[in-house]
């Protein structure tokens, strides 16, 4: 039987039970749950599973309604082959933004005792201040490089076997924005290579749509400082500017966009203890133009077989020109192959 209190926004269940194939697997003499928009401290629905890696698993989540603007969920996770793992997620919302602190802790991994205690943590925070300032933090770390392959976890942002650790602050206006970014990594593979840290990177972007009629102007620029713990790899400061002019034309039946872009980059590299046979130079500069024109049509008609349906054909053709440029005298910091759409 159920009693609903509309004033307290709470429902009380008397003698609730859950049956699976006619067999009762869950019973309580009394159970209260919130209704509407209210929140209540208490147990959430448990989960049970089985896998060859961990054996039988059970997870019992507990929700803590601490205040109107922050709360906590703790999970007691029992893994047959590993032990009991305690997980938690603390969420908050205040005048300086919103965020969460996630933690996972396994006191001792019974399956791989050589690791000892295993843990993971992540702090994320995002804020918009006075409609112009943006603040973002995403910092995560785990106890060992095999953490994600051995244990199920949603912690962190992983890129190519690395755990991203970054923070940034931005100011944006109607036609421009300025961002200061720091980024580090935790390596999740047994390799001798060390990633490059951005300590820091300052980017400036300017947007001038309709600089003239049918003419847009954009400018992307950055100053980046790359550091690494490797004694055999160079460190560098890079200046980059990328102005572009585009002529976008569009109608209801098609579009034609023509764009000219100029990639201008300057490197100043610290080559102390770096092998000279690699061919790196103390300074390097590149100016690479790019030209692109893209034409697309939209043709449509009502179908004759199925009433109410529309058939569309959208052919598109593009010409892209980027001259080849030898850049082997600089190391690979955060660059990759340029892939414009085909």
């Amino acid at each position: 039987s159920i009693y609903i209190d509309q004033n307290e926004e709470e429902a009380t269940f008397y003698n609730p039970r859950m049956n699976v194939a006619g067999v009762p697997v869950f019973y309580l003499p009394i159970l209260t749950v919130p209704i509407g928009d209210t929140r209540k401290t208490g147990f959430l629905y448990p989960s049970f599973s089985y896998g060859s890696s961990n054996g039988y698993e059970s997870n019992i989540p507990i929700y803590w309604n601490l205040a109107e603007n922050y709360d906590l969920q703790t999970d007691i996770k029992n893994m047959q082959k590993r032990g009991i793992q305690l997980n938690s997620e603390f969420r908050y919302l205040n005048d300086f933004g919103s965020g969460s602190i996630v933690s996972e802790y396994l006191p001792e991994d019974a399956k791989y005792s050589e690791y000892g205690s295993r843990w993971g943590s992540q702090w994320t925070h995002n804020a918009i201040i006075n409609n112009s300032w943006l603040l973002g933090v995403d910092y995560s770390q785990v106890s060992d490089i095999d953490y994600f392959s051995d244990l199920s976890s949603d912690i962190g942002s992983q890129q190519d076997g690395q755990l991203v650790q970054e923070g940034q602050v931005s100011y944006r206006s109607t036609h421009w924005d300025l961002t200061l970014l720091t980024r580090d990594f935790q390596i999740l593979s047994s390799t001798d290579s060390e990633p490059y840290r951005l300590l820091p990177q300052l980017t400036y972007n300017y947007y001038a749509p309709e600089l003239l009629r049918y003419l847009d102007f954009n400018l992307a620029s950055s100053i980046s400082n790359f550091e690494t713990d490797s004694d055999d790899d160079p460190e560098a400061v890079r200046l980059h500017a990328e102005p572009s002019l585009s002529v976008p034309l569009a109608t209801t039946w098609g579009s034609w966009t023509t764009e000219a872009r100029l990639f201008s980059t300057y490197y100043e590299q610290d080559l102390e203890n770096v092998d000279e046979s690699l061919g790196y130079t103390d300074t390097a500069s590149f100016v690479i133009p790019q030209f692109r024109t893209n034409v697309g049509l939209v043709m449509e008609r009502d179908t004759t077989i199925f009433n109410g349906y529309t058939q569309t054909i959208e052919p598109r053709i593009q010409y892209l020109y980027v001259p080849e440029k030898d850049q082997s005298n600089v190391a690979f910091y955060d660059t990759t192959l340029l892939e414009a759409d085909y």
Side-chain angles (χ1 to χ4, degrees):
S1 59
I2 305 174
Y3 171 74
I4 298 178
D5 189 335
Q6 297 287 359
N7 295 327
E8 296 294 333
E9 295 188 354
E10 184 178 84
T12 303
F13 294 75
Y14 297 97
N15 300 308
R17 70 177 183 271
M18 180 174 65
N19 296 344
V20 177
V23 178
V25 296
F26 176 79
Y27 170 81
L28 283 175
I30 190 172
L31 174 66
T32 60
V33 298
I35 59 176
D37 296 330
T38 59
R39 298 179 299 177
K40 180 180 176 65
T41 297
F43 291 94
L44 301 178
Y45 288 107
S47 61
F48 306 92
S49 62
Y50 175 80
S52 59
S53 177
N54 299 333
Y56 291 100
E57 294 184 38
S58 64
N59 186 65
I60 302 176
I62 306 173
Y63 177 78
W64 307 88
N65 184 26
L66 303 177
E68 292 183 352
N69 62 324
Y70 55 90
D71 58 13
L72 172 68
Q73 178 178 325
T74 56
D75 289 46
I76 304 174
K77 185 176 182 179
N78 182 30
M79 296 172 284
Q80 180 186 16
K81 297 182 179 181
R82 297 184 182 275
I84 297 178
Q85 183 183 37
L86 181 62
N87 304 329
S88 67
E89 179 182 7
F90 176 75
R91 303 184 304 174
Y92 61 89
L93 173 65
N94 53 39
D95 294 337
F96 298 101
S98 63
S100 66
I101 301 174
V102 179
S103 66
E104 300 173 350
Y105 181 69
L106 181 62
E108 184 176 357
D109 192 341
K111 189 174 182 179
Y112 299 110
S113 58
E114 63 271 18
Y115 285 110
S117 61
R118 310 185 74 176
W119 54 267
S121 62
Q122 180 183 20
W123 175 40
T124 57
H125 182 84
N126 293 283
I128 299 177
I129 303 173
N130 294 331
N131 296 322
S132 297
W133 290 93
L134 284 77
L135 176 64
V137 177
D138 187 351
Y139 186 91
S140 51
Q141 191 171 0
V142 293
S143 57
D144 55 84
I145 63 175
D146 296 321
Y147 187 85
F148 292 105
S149 58
D150 291 344
L151 299 167
S152 60
S153 174
D154 295 326
I155 280 181
S157 302
Q158 300 180 55
Q159 295 181 359
D160 301 326
Q162 301 172 352
L163 200 58
V164 180
Q165 304 168 338
E166 68 178 20
Q168 64 177 352
V169 58
S170 304
Y171 181 85
R172 60 184 183 184
S173 183
T174 304
H175 295 291
W176 60 273
D177 61 72
L178 186 69
T179 301
L180 183 64
L181 168 71
T182 63
R183 176 180 293 151
D184 199 355
F185 301 92
Q186 180 185 3
I187 303 298
L188 300 177
S189 60
S190 54
T191 177
D192 295 333
S193 63
E194 294 287 343
Y196 280 99
R197 300 185 296 269
L198 276 172
L199 296 176
Q201 180 184 73
L202 181 66
T203 61
Y204 173 78
N205 300 311
Y206 179 76
Y207 315 95
E210 296 186 353
L211 180 66
L212 299 174
R213 188 178 183 184
Y214 303 122
L215 180 64
D216 296 345
F217 173 76
N218 291 328
L219 172 65
S221 62
S222 64
I223 302 175
S224 308
N225 180 50
F226 297 99
E227 295 184 1
T228 179
D229 291 331
S230 174
D231 296 329
D232 301 325
D233 294 325
E235 297 182 342
V237 174
R238 182 186 67 198
L239 282 72
H240 179 75
E242 190 179 316
S244 69
L245 289 171
S246 62
V247 181
L249 303 174
T251 67
T252 57
W253 46 266
S255 63
W256 180 16
T257 301
T258 302
E259 179 188 73
R261 188 180 298 268
L262 192 66
F263 299 94
S264 303
T265 312
Y266 172 79
Y267 289 90
E268 187 171 300
Q269 302 184 108
D270 182 1
L271 303 179
E272 185 178 358
N273 301 323
V274 177
D275 188 355
E276 295 182 357
S277 64
L278 295 174
Y280 298 151
T281 56
D282 292 331
T283 61
S285 60
F286 307 100
V287 178
I288 305 174
Q290 173 185 290
F291 175 78
R292 179 175 64 163
T293 183
N294 188 304
V295 179
L297 296 176
V298 179
M299 298 179 289
E300 67 178 34
R301 67 175 185 178
D302 295 332
T303 59
T304 57
I305 300 177
F306 304 102
N307 292 330
Y309 286 82
T310 302
Q311 178 186 11
T312 62
I313 297 178
E314 301 183 20
R316 184 175 297 274
I317 186 171
Q318 173 175 278
Y319 173 77
L320 172 66
Y321 172 75
V322 185
E324 184 177 356
K325 188 75 171 181
D326 181 13
Q327 302 181 56
S328 59
N329 58 337
V330 297
F332 292 98
Y333 298 103
D334 66 344
T335 54
T336 185
L337 291 177
L338 178 64
E339 293 186 6
D341 50 347
Y342 295 94

